[in-house]
Short mmCIF file of all heavy atoms in Angstrom, two decimals:
data_model
loop_
_atom_site.label_atom_id
_atom_site.label_comp_id
_atom_site.label_asym_id
_atom_site.label_seq_id
_atom_site.Cartn_x
_atom_site.Cartn_y
_atom_site.Cartn_z
N GLU A 1 2.63 -22.98 1.33
CA GLU A 1 1.23 -23.15 0.90
C GLU A 1 0.88 -24.62 0.69
O GLU A 1 -0.13 -25.10 1.19
CB GLU A 1 1.00 -22.38 -0.40
CG GLU A 1 -0.41 -22.56 -0.94
CD GLU A 1 -0.53 -22.05 -2.35
OE1 GLU A 1 0.36 -21.37 -2.83
OE2 GLU A 1 -1.57 -22.37 -2.96
N ASP A 2 1.69 -25.35 -0.08
CA ASP A 2 1.35 -26.72 -0.42
C ASP A 2 1.28 -27.59 0.83
O ASP A 2 0.35 -28.38 1.02
CB ASP A 2 2.37 -27.29 -1.41
CG ASP A 2 2.27 -26.61 -2.76
OD1 ASP A 2 1.20 -26.04 -3.05
OD2 ASP A 2 3.26 -26.66 -3.50
N ALA A 3 2.26 -27.46 1.70
CA ALA A 3 2.30 -28.30 2.89
C ALA A 3 1.17 -27.98 3.84
O ALA A 3 0.63 -28.87 4.50
CB ALA A 3 3.65 -28.11 3.61
N SER A 4 0.78 -26.70 3.93
CA SER A 4 -0.22 -26.28 4.92
C SER A 4 -1.65 -26.47 4.45
O SER A 4 -2.55 -26.67 5.26
CB SER A 4 0.00 -24.80 5.28
OG SER A 4 1.26 -24.62 5.86
N PHE A 5 -1.86 -26.34 3.13
CA PHE A 5 -3.23 -26.23 2.66
C PHE A 5 -3.70 -27.31 1.68
O PHE A 5 -4.89 -27.57 1.58
CB PHE A 5 -3.44 -24.87 1.99
CG PHE A 5 -3.29 -23.71 2.94
CD1 PHE A 5 -2.14 -22.95 2.95
CD2 PHE A 5 -4.30 -23.39 3.83
CE1 PHE A 5 -2.01 -21.89 3.82
CE2 PHE A 5 -4.17 -22.34 4.71
CZ PHE A 5 -3.02 -21.58 4.71
N SER A 6 -2.79 -27.90 0.95
CA SER A 6 -3.22 -28.72 -0.19
C SER A 6 -4.03 -29.94 0.21
O SER A 6 -4.85 -30.43 -0.57
CB SER A 6 -1.99 -29.15 -1.01
OG SER A 6 -1.12 -29.93 -0.20
N THR A 7 -3.84 -30.46 1.42
CA THR A 7 -4.55 -31.67 1.82
C THR A 7 -5.70 -31.41 2.78
O THR A 7 -6.36 -32.34 3.22
CB THR A 7 -3.57 -32.66 2.49
OG1 THR A 7 -3.03 -32.05 3.67
CG2 THR A 7 -2.44 -33.03 1.55
N GLN A 8 -5.97 -30.13 3.09
CA GLN A 8 -7.02 -29.82 4.06
C GLN A 8 -8.38 -29.71 3.40
O GLN A 8 -8.50 -29.33 2.23
CB GLN A 8 -6.69 -28.51 4.79
CG GLN A 8 -5.52 -28.63 5.75
CD GLN A 8 -5.27 -27.33 6.48
OE1 GLN A 8 -4.77 -26.37 5.91
NE2 GLN A 8 -5.66 -27.28 7.74
N SER A 9 -9.41 -30.04 4.16
CA SER A 9 -10.78 -29.91 3.66
C SER A 9 -11.22 -28.46 3.76
O SER A 9 -10.59 -27.64 4.44
CB SER A 9 -11.72 -30.78 4.51
OG SER A 9 -11.83 -30.24 5.83
N ALA A 10 -12.34 -28.14 3.10
CA ALA A 10 -12.88 -26.79 3.15
C ALA A 10 -13.25 -26.41 4.59
O ALA A 10 -13.03 -25.27 5.01
CB ALA A 10 -14.10 -26.68 2.24
N ASP A 11 -13.80 -27.37 5.34
CA ASP A 11 -14.15 -27.08 6.73
C ASP A 11 -12.92 -26.74 7.56
O ASP A 11 -12.94 -25.82 8.39
CB ASP A 11 -14.88 -28.28 7.35
CG ASP A 11 -16.29 -28.45 6.84
OD1 ASP A 11 -16.83 -27.49 6.24
OD2 ASP A 11 -16.87 -29.54 7.02
N ASP A 12 -11.84 -27.49 7.36
CA ASP A 12 -10.60 -27.23 8.08
C ASP A 12 -10.02 -25.86 7.70
O ASP A 12 -9.56 -25.10 8.56
CB ASP A 12 -9.56 -28.31 7.80
CG ASP A 12 -9.92 -29.65 8.44
OD1 ASP A 12 -10.70 -29.65 9.41
OD2 ASP A 12 -9.43 -30.69 7.96
N LEU A 13 -10.05 -25.57 6.43
CA LEU A 13 -9.52 -24.28 5.95
C LEU A 13 -10.37 -23.12 6.46
O LEU A 13 -9.84 -22.07 6.81
CB LEU A 13 -9.48 -24.28 4.43
CG LEU A 13 -8.41 -25.17 3.80
CD1 LEU A 13 -8.71 -25.40 2.33
CD2 LEU A 13 -7.03 -24.54 3.97
N TYR A 14 -11.67 -23.34 6.51
CA TYR A 14 -12.56 -22.30 7.03
C TYR A 14 -12.25 -22.01 8.50
O TYR A 14 -12.15 -20.85 8.91
CB TYR A 14 -14.02 -22.73 6.87
CG TYR A 14 -15.00 -21.79 7.50
CD1 TYR A 14 -15.27 -20.55 6.93
CD2 TYR A 14 -15.66 -22.12 8.69
CE1 TYR A 14 -16.17 -19.67 7.52
CE2 TYR A 14 -16.55 -21.25 9.28
CZ TYR A 14 -16.81 -20.03 8.69
OH TYR A 14 -17.69 -19.16 9.29
N ALA A 15 -12.08 -23.09 9.29
CA ALA A 15 -11.74 -22.92 10.70
C ALA A 15 -10.40 -22.20 10.85
O ALA A 15 -10.24 -21.32 11.72
CB ALA A 15 -11.70 -24.27 11.40
N ALA A 16 -9.45 -22.54 10.01
CA ALA A 16 -8.14 -21.88 10.05
C ALA A 16 -8.27 -20.41 9.68
O ALA A 16 -7.61 -19.54 10.27
CB ALA A 16 -7.17 -22.59 9.11
N GLY A 17 -9.11 -20.13 8.70
CA GLY A 17 -9.34 -18.75 8.29
C GLY A 17 -9.98 -17.92 9.38
O GLY A 17 -9.59 -16.78 9.63
N GLN A 18 -10.97 -18.51 10.06
CA GLN A 18 -11.62 -17.80 11.16
C GLN A 18 -10.64 -17.54 12.30
O GLN A 18 -10.65 -16.47 12.91
CB GLN A 18 -12.82 -18.62 11.66
CG GLN A 18 -13.96 -18.75 10.67
CD GLN A 18 -14.75 -17.46 10.53
OE1 GLN A 18 -14.23 -16.40 10.24
NE2 GLN A 18 -16.05 -17.55 10.77
N ALA A 19 -9.79 -18.52 12.58
CA ALA A 19 -8.79 -18.36 13.65
C ALA A 19 -7.79 -17.27 13.28
O ALA A 19 -7.42 -16.43 14.12
CB ALA A 19 -8.07 -19.67 13.90
N ALA A 20 -7.37 -17.25 12.02
CA ALA A 20 -6.44 -16.22 11.57
C ALA A 20 -7.08 -14.84 11.64
O ALA A 20 -6.43 -13.86 12.05
CB ALA A 20 -5.98 -16.53 10.14
N PHE A 21 -8.34 -14.76 11.25
CA PHE A 21 -9.04 -13.48 11.30
C PHE A 21 -9.14 -12.98 12.74
O PHE A 21 -8.94 -11.81 13.02
CB PHE A 21 -10.44 -13.64 10.71
CG PHE A 21 -11.14 -12.33 10.43
CD1 PHE A 21 -11.07 -11.75 9.18
CD2 PHE A 21 -11.86 -11.68 11.42
CE1 PHE A 21 -11.70 -10.55 8.91
CE2 PHE A 21 -12.49 -10.49 11.17
CZ PHE A 21 -12.42 -9.91 9.91
N ALA A 22 -9.43 -13.91 13.67
CA ALA A 22 -9.58 -13.53 15.08
C ALA A 22 -8.28 -12.97 15.65
O ALA A 22 -8.32 -12.08 16.51
CB ALA A 22 -10.04 -14.74 15.89
N ARG A 23 -7.15 -13.47 15.18
CA ARG A 23 -5.88 -12.95 15.69
C ARG A 23 -5.32 -11.84 14.78
O ARG A 23 -4.17 -11.44 14.89
CB ARG A 23 -4.85 -14.08 15.84
CG ARG A 23 -4.41 -14.78 14.58
CD ARG A 23 -3.30 -15.81 14.88
NE ARG A 23 -2.87 -16.46 13.68
CZ ARG A 23 -3.38 -17.58 13.20
NH1 ARG A 23 -4.37 -18.19 13.85
NH2 ARG A 23 -2.92 -18.10 12.07
N LYS A 24 -6.16 -11.36 13.87
CA LYS A 24 -5.87 -10.21 13.00
C LYS A 24 -4.79 -10.50 11.96
O LYS A 24 -4.13 -9.59 11.47
CB LYS A 24 -5.51 -8.98 13.82
CG LYS A 24 -6.62 -8.53 14.76
CD LYS A 24 -6.26 -7.27 15.51
CE LYS A 24 -7.40 -6.86 16.44
NZ LYS A 24 -7.08 -5.62 17.19
N ASP A 25 -4.64 -11.76 11.61
CA ASP A 25 -3.75 -12.14 10.52
C ASP A 25 -4.61 -12.22 9.26
O ASP A 25 -4.96 -13.31 8.77
CB ASP A 25 -3.08 -13.48 10.82
CG ASP A 25 -1.99 -13.83 9.80
OD1 ASP A 25 -1.89 -13.13 8.77
OD2 ASP A 25 -1.25 -14.81 10.04
N TYR A 26 -4.97 -11.07 8.74
CA TYR A 26 -5.96 -11.00 7.68
C TYR A 26 -5.45 -11.55 6.36
O TYR A 26 -6.22 -12.09 5.56
CB TYR A 26 -6.44 -9.56 7.51
CG TYR A 26 -7.02 -8.99 8.78
CD1 TYR A 26 -6.51 -7.82 9.33
CD2 TYR A 26 -8.06 -9.63 9.43
CE1 TYR A 26 -7.03 -7.30 10.51
CE2 TYR A 26 -8.60 -9.12 10.61
CZ TYR A 26 -8.07 -7.95 11.14
OH TYR A 26 -8.59 -7.44 12.30
N SER A 27 -4.16 -11.45 6.12
CA SER A 27 -3.59 -12.00 4.89
C SER A 27 -3.73 -13.53 4.86
O SER A 27 -4.15 -14.11 3.86
CB SER A 27 -2.11 -11.61 4.77
OG SER A 27 -1.55 -12.15 3.60
N ARG A 28 -3.40 -14.16 5.97
CA ARG A 28 -3.56 -15.61 6.04
C ARG A 28 -5.04 -16.00 5.97
O ARG A 28 -5.41 -16.99 5.34
CB ARG A 28 -2.93 -16.16 7.32
CG ARG A 28 -2.98 -17.69 7.40
CD ARG A 28 -2.31 -18.20 8.66
NE ARG A 28 -2.47 -19.64 8.82
CZ ARG A 28 -1.62 -20.55 8.37
NH1 ARG A 28 -0.54 -20.16 7.71
NH2 ARG A 28 -1.82 -21.85 8.57
N ALA A 29 -5.89 -15.22 6.64
CA ALA A 29 -7.33 -15.50 6.60
C ALA A 29 -7.83 -15.45 5.16
O ALA A 29 -8.56 -16.34 4.72
CB ALA A 29 -8.09 -14.50 7.46
N GLN A 30 -7.41 -14.43 4.42
CA GLN A 30 -7.82 -14.32 3.02
C GLN A 30 -7.37 -15.55 2.24
O GLN A 30 -8.13 -16.09 1.42
CB GLN A 30 -7.22 -13.07 2.39
CG GLN A 30 -7.54 -12.93 0.90
CD GLN A 30 -6.90 -11.71 0.28
OE1 GLN A 30 -6.62 -10.72 0.96
NE2 GLN A 30 -6.66 -11.75 -1.02
N HIS A 31 -6.15 -15.99 2.47
CA HIS A 31 -5.64 -17.15 1.77
C HIS A 31 -6.45 -18.41 2.09
O HIS A 31 -6.80 -19.18 1.19
CB HIS A 31 -4.17 -17.37 2.15
CG HIS A 31 -3.52 -18.49 1.40
ND1 HIS A 31 -3.31 -18.45 0.04
CD2 HIS A 31 -3.03 -19.68 1.82
CE1 HIS A 31 -2.73 -19.56 -0.35
NE2 HIS A 31 -2.55 -20.34 0.71
N CYS A 32 -6.78 -18.59 3.36
CA CYS A 32 -7.58 -19.76 3.75
C CYS A 32 -8.93 -19.74 3.06
O CYS A 32 -9.39 -20.77 2.54
CB CYS A 32 -7.75 -19.78 5.27
SG CYS A 32 -6.26 -20.15 6.21
N PHE A 33 -9.59 -18.58 3.06
CA PHE A 33 -10.91 -18.49 2.44
C PHE A 33 -10.83 -18.67 0.93
O PHE A 33 -11.74 -19.22 0.31
CB PHE A 33 -11.58 -17.17 2.81
CG PHE A 33 -11.84 -17.01 4.29
CD1 PHE A 33 -11.55 -15.82 4.93
CD2 PHE A 33 -12.36 -18.05 5.03
CE1 PHE A 33 -11.79 -15.67 6.29
CE2 PHE A 33 -12.60 -17.92 6.40
CZ PHE A 33 -12.30 -16.72 7.03
N SER A 34 -9.73 -18.21 0.33
CA SER A 34 -9.54 -18.43 -1.11
C SER A 34 -9.44 -19.91 -1.42
O SER A 34 -10.00 -20.39 -2.41
CB SER A 34 -8.28 -17.70 -1.60
OG SER A 34 -8.44 -16.31 -1.55
N ARG A 35 -8.74 -20.64 -0.57
CA ARG A 35 -8.64 -22.09 -0.77
C ARG A 35 -10.01 -22.76 -0.58
O ARG A 35 -10.34 -23.70 -1.29
CB ARG A 35 -7.63 -22.69 0.20
CG ARG A 35 -6.18 -22.24 -0.02
CD ARG A 35 -5.65 -22.67 -1.35
NE ARG A 35 -5.71 -24.11 -1.56
CZ ARG A 35 -5.34 -24.73 -2.67
NH1 ARG A 35 -4.90 -24.03 -3.69
NH2 ARG A 35 -5.42 -26.04 -2.76
N CYS A 36 -10.79 -22.25 0.37
CA CYS A 36 -12.15 -22.77 0.55
C CYS A 36 -12.96 -22.60 -0.73
O CYS A 36 -13.70 -23.50 -1.15
CB CYS A 36 -12.86 -22.01 1.68
SG CYS A 36 -12.27 -22.38 3.34
N ILE A 37 -12.80 -21.43 -1.36
CA ILE A 37 -13.55 -21.14 -2.58
C ILE A 37 -13.13 -22.07 -3.71
O ILE A 37 -13.96 -22.53 -4.50
CB ILE A 37 -13.36 -19.66 -2.97
CG1 ILE A 37 -14.08 -18.75 -1.96
CG2 ILE A 37 -13.86 -19.39 -4.38
CD1 ILE A 37 -13.71 -17.29 -2.06
N VAL A 38 -11.84 -22.38 -3.80
CA VAL A 38 -11.37 -23.31 -4.82
C VAL A 38 -12.04 -24.67 -4.65
O VAL A 38 -12.46 -25.31 -5.61
CB VAL A 38 -9.83 -23.46 -4.75
CG1 VAL A 38 -9.36 -24.61 -5.65
CG2 VAL A 38 -9.16 -22.16 -5.17
#
């Protein structure tokens, strides 16, 4: 988590979340969007 997400912007995390959702990795997508919300 720290290495992948802690330094990313909300826009980057949102794009990662959308990409994860598209490939049906919904758990990772949820995590990305949660970080966006933070």
